[in-house]
Amino acid sequence: MAIGKKPWSGRFQKPTAGNVEKFTSSIHYDRRLYPYDIEGSIAHATMLAGQKIISKNESAKIVSALKNILKDIEKGKFKFNPADEDIHMAIEKELISRIGETGGKLHSARSRNDQIVLDVRLFLRAEIKMIIGLVNALQRQLIKLAKREIKTMMPGYTHMQKAQPVLLSHYFLAFVEMFARDVQRLNECGNRLNVLPLGAAALAGTSLPIDRQRTAKILNFPAVSNNSMDTVADRDFVAEFILAASLVMMHLSRFCEDLILWSSGEFGFVEISDAYTTGSSIMPQKKNPDVAELIRGKTARVYGDLFAILTLLKGLPMTYNRDLQEDKERLFDAVDTVKDCLSIFTEMIDHTKFNAAKMRQAAQGGFSTATDIAEYLVGKGIPFRRSHEIVGKIVAYCLQNKKELENLTLKEYQKFYEGFTDDIQSIIKLERSVNSRKHTGGTATTAVLKRISEFEKIFGKI
Ligand code: ARG
C-alpha cells in the first residue's frame, strides 16, 4: 500500500477532500488509546497464528514490530498524522511501512468497529482501577480526620437551618459512606465492561476460524461477548461509567459547597490553607476558596459529558455508526476531570483547619437540643406529638424573652409541663445530646468509633 493512500480506498475514484479528512479525523484525541490498541493487536496476531490464519513467523514479525512502534510512541518519536484518521489506522499504516505486506495480515478477522470497543474497554478497565485508588485515598484521609476530630461538635443542618448537634467525625464518615457506594458502582461498571468484543468484526462476526476464548485469555477478559451486533453497537458501559463518575463529582461538589460556606467570615468553621486558595486582583483582603468552587463547577462538565453520551446513543440505528466516535472526548474528559478533582480535593482537605471552638459555639445555641427535650418527655410517657407541642411553646417563650434553653430555670420549664425534673439541665447539654444517639448509624462517640473501626478493618489501621 502506498503511503498516503487510505487502506479502504479500493472503491473510491477521488481522494478525500482536505477538510473532510480533518473533519472525520479523531487521531488528535484517540491517540491516547495507543497502548491498548497495540496490546489488543498483539493478542489478535497471536490468536491468528494459533488458528493458522497467519503463520507463526508472520505473527512474530507483527508482534515485534508492534512492540517497537509502542516504544517509539512512548519516546515521542512517532509522528501522528491527521490524514491517518484514527489511532487504528495510524498504527496499522506504520506497521505496514515497517514490515511490508505481512503487516496487512493483522487486520484479518477484525474491523475497526470491534477494535475501537476493545480499546475503550481496556482503557476504561485500567482507568476505573486508578479512580477507585483515588477514591480510597480520599476515604482514608477522611477516616484520619474523623479520628483526629472525634471530640469536635458541630451543628448539623437541615434546610440550611441549625438542626441538631453532631460530631464533625460523623460528618466526615457520611462522605466515607457515599464514596464507598461510588466505589461499588465503579467496580460493578468495571466488571460489566470486562467482556471481550474482538471477533464481532464489523457487525456480523467473521468466516475465518478465530478462537475468541484464546484472545480473551491473553487480554485477561473473563468472558467473550455473546452477540456481534450488540458488541459493535453498545456503548452502555461508557454512559454507565460517566454516571458513576458524575455521582463521585456530585459528592465532591456537595462537600465543596460546605467548605465554601464554612470558610466564609460568617461561619468561620474552617480555614483552607493559603496553598489551596487564591486572592482577588482588586480586593487585597480576599482569600477565596477557588479550588472548591472549581470542583463544584467541573461537576457540571461531567454531567454534560453524561448527557452528551446519552443523547449520542438514543437515535442510532443498529449497529455501528460514525457518531460513536464522538464518545471519546466526552469519556476522556470525564475520566480526567474526576481524577484531577479527587487528587486535589484530597490534598486540600488535608490542608484545611477545622475550628472546633467556633463549631462548638455554633452548635450550642439556636435550640439545637430542643428535640432532646421532646424525647425526654416521651421517656416520661407523653405522646411525641404532645411533647413536640410543649417544647415548641418553650422555644416561643425563649424567643419572646430573648433566652436560650440553657438559661431557663426548672420553674420556667415546669410552667409548660409540671413533670419536668432537674435532670432537664443535663438533657440539653451537647455531649449528652450527641452521645445519647448511640444506635447503629447514630452520631454518639461510641457509634462513630465503632464505624471507624469497621472501616479500619477494610482499609487497615489509619
Ligand atoms: N474512530 C472510530 C470510532 O471512534 C473507529 C471506528 C471506525 N469505524 C469505521 N467503520 N469508520 O468510532
Side-chain angles (χ1 to χ4, degrees):
M1 184 179 66
I3 301 297
K5 203 170 146 210
K6 310 282 184 204
W8 41 252
S9 64
R11 59 99 68 215
F12 286 80
Q13 310 294 325
K14 287 184 182 149
T16 318
N19 54 353
V20 170
E21 210 156 63
K22 224 176 132 207
F23 186 73
T24 53
S25 169
S26 56
I27 188 81
H28 54 289
Y29 55 83
D30 69 16
R31 54 193 275 181
R32 71 187 276 181
L33 293 172
Y34 75 85
Y36 307 106
D37 199 75
I38 292 177
E39 188 189 352
S41 289
I42 290 175
H44 183 65
T46 310
M47 181 280 290
L48 289 177
Q51 297 303 99
K52 304 201 166 45
I53 300 168
I54 62 174
S55 74
K56 283 217 154 61
N57 190 28
E58 287 166 335
S59 166
K61 260 171 99 177
I62 292 172
V63 169
S64 121
L66 284 171
K67 286 183 176 164
N68 287 331
I69 293 173
L70 177 66
K71 274 192 215 137
D72 288 349
I73 298 177
E74 252 140 33
K75 283 193 216 133
K77 287 207 295 201
F78 191 92
K79 255 190 89 61
F80 288 99
N81 179 352
D84 291 338
E85 230 178 292
D86 56 28
I87 185 65
H88 323 301
M89 303 277 237
I91 291 173
E92 191 184 332
K93 193 180 98 185
E94 181 65 19
L95 179 72
I96 292 168
S97 88
R98 288 188 188 194
I99 62 170
E101 282 271 272
T102 306
K105 295 198 167 189
L106 171 63
H107 212 53
S108 318
R110 190 175 73 172
S111 153
R112 280 185 293 159
N113 297 356
D114 58 349
Q115 192 178 355
I116 186 60
V117 191
L118 173 70
D119 291 8
V120 179
R121 284 179 189 259
L122 288 171
F123 163 81
L124 206 44
R125 188 170 77 174
E127 292 292 340
I128 285 176
K129 275 205 187 103
M130 287 187 255
I131 294 168
I132 289 176
L134 292 170
V135 178
N136 287 154
L138 172 55
Q139 289 176 297
R140 294 177 63 91
Q141 179 62 41
L142 294 174
I143 295 165
K144 190 176 106 188
L145 289 174
K147 287 180 82 167
R148 196 184 76 197
E149 301 290 340
I150 193 69
K151 293 203 156 61
T152 307
M153 309 263 176
M154 62 169 277
Y157 297 87
T158 61
H159 315 271
M160 207 52 230
Q161 303 288 317
K162 206 175 287 185
Q164 292 183 300
V166 289
L167 291 186
L168 175 57
S169 306
H170 197 47
Y171 173 91
F172 289 139
L173 291 193
F175 280 98
V176 179
E177 303 286 354
M178 296 182 211
F179 290 125
R181 291 194 297 276
D182 287 332
V183 167
Q184 271 176 11
R185 257 184 295 271
L186 287 164
N187 267 321
E188 282 160 19
C189 171
N191 290 336
R192 228 183 322 276
L193 69 76
N194 206 7
V195 173
L196 175 82
L198 227 49
L203 80 160
T206 173
S207 58
L208 293 165
I210 54 170
D211 179 355
R212 299 187 70 203
Q213 306 295 341
R214 174 88 200 276
T215 317
K217 202 152 179 235
I218 300 172
L219 292 171
N220 245 322
F221 282 109
V224 303
S225 63
N226 285 314
N227 181 302
S228 61
M229 293 177 83
D230 171 41
T231 304
V232 295
D234 161 45
R235 294 294 183 279
D236 297 6
F237 66 98
V238 174
E240 194 181 342
F241 165 77
I242 305 181
L243 171 65
S246 295
L247 292 172
V248 173
M249 291 302 299
M250 179 272 288
H251 289 142
L252 285 176
S253 185
R254 292 185 75 171
F255 208 149
C256 285
E257 170 63 13
D258 280 340
L259 293 177
I260 293 161
L261 273 174
W262 292 357
S263 55
S264 68
E266 286 73 7
F267 272 87
F269 286 3
V270 302
E271 182 167 2
I272 303 172
S273 155
D274 284 3
Y276 294 86
T277 50
T278 55
S280 156
S281 60
I282 173 168
M283 298 167 284
Q285 85 284 10
K286 294 272 282 184
K287 172 169 149 174
N288 297 327
D290 293 32
V291 171
E293 289 169 310
L294 274 170
I295 293 174
R296 194 176 57 188
K298 283 173 192 288
T299 303
R301 285 173 79 106
V302 179
Y303 289 7
D305 294 332
L306 175 62
F307 268 80
I309 299 297
L310 292 172
T311 313
L312 182 68
L313 294 175
K314 76 178 269 289
L316 289 188
M318 286 285 271
T319 55
Y320 178 84
N321 301 271
R322 190 64 176 266
D323 316 42
L324 289 173
Q325 179 166 295
E326 287 291 310
D327 68 346
K328 247 76 71 205
E329 282 173 295
R330 307 303 4 127
L331 174 63
F332 296 160
D333 182 70
V335 165
D336 296 339
T337 307
V338 76
K339 280 167 77 183
D340 277 357
C341 291
L342 280 165
S343 308
I344 202 154
F345 183 89
T346 305
E347 281 179 38
M348 179 176 70
I349 198 81
D350 192 27
H351 291 83
T352 297
K353 280 204 197 102
F354 293 84
N355 189 334
K358 263 269 167 79
M359 284 186 163
R360 192 191 166 88
Q361 198 188 358
Q364 200 80 51
F367 312 101
S368 68
T369 53
T371 311
D372 295 80
I373 305 178
E375 288 179 353
Y376 159 90
L377 294 177
V378 167
K380 291 190 178 286
I382 300 184
F384 183 74
R385 276 290 150 246
R386 226 188 105 207
S387 72
H388 187 288
E389 175 79 15
I390 295 169
V391 182
K393 296 235 158 74
I394 297 175
V395 170
Y397 170 82
C398 286
L399 288 170
Q400 273 154 23
N401 296 282
K402 298 206 164 41
K403 290 189 177 190
E404 290 282 345
L405 294 172
E406 291 78 4
N407 320 122
L408 297 187
T409 62
L410 180 59
K411 279 232 151 60
E412 284 174 296
Y413 274 112
Q414 284 171 340
K415 270 201 262 173
F416 296 91
Y417 171 67
E418 57 207 16
F420 271 111
T421 43
D422 56 10
D423 53 350
I424 183 60
Q425 304 298 348
S426 69
I427 291 299
I428 55 174
K429 291 241 153 44
L430 288 186
E431 272 74 13
R432 159 67 178 61
S433 169
V434 164
N435 287 325
S436 62
R437 290 164 164 75
K438 50 184 186 286
H439 52 79
T440 301
T443 187
T445 313
T446 49
V448 171
L449 285 174
K450 184 165 158 267
R451 195 63 188 133
I452 289 176
S453 77
E454 285 165 7
F455 277 126
E456 283 191 317
K457 279 196 197 102
I458 303 167
F459 289 100
K461 197 104 190 103
I462 293 168

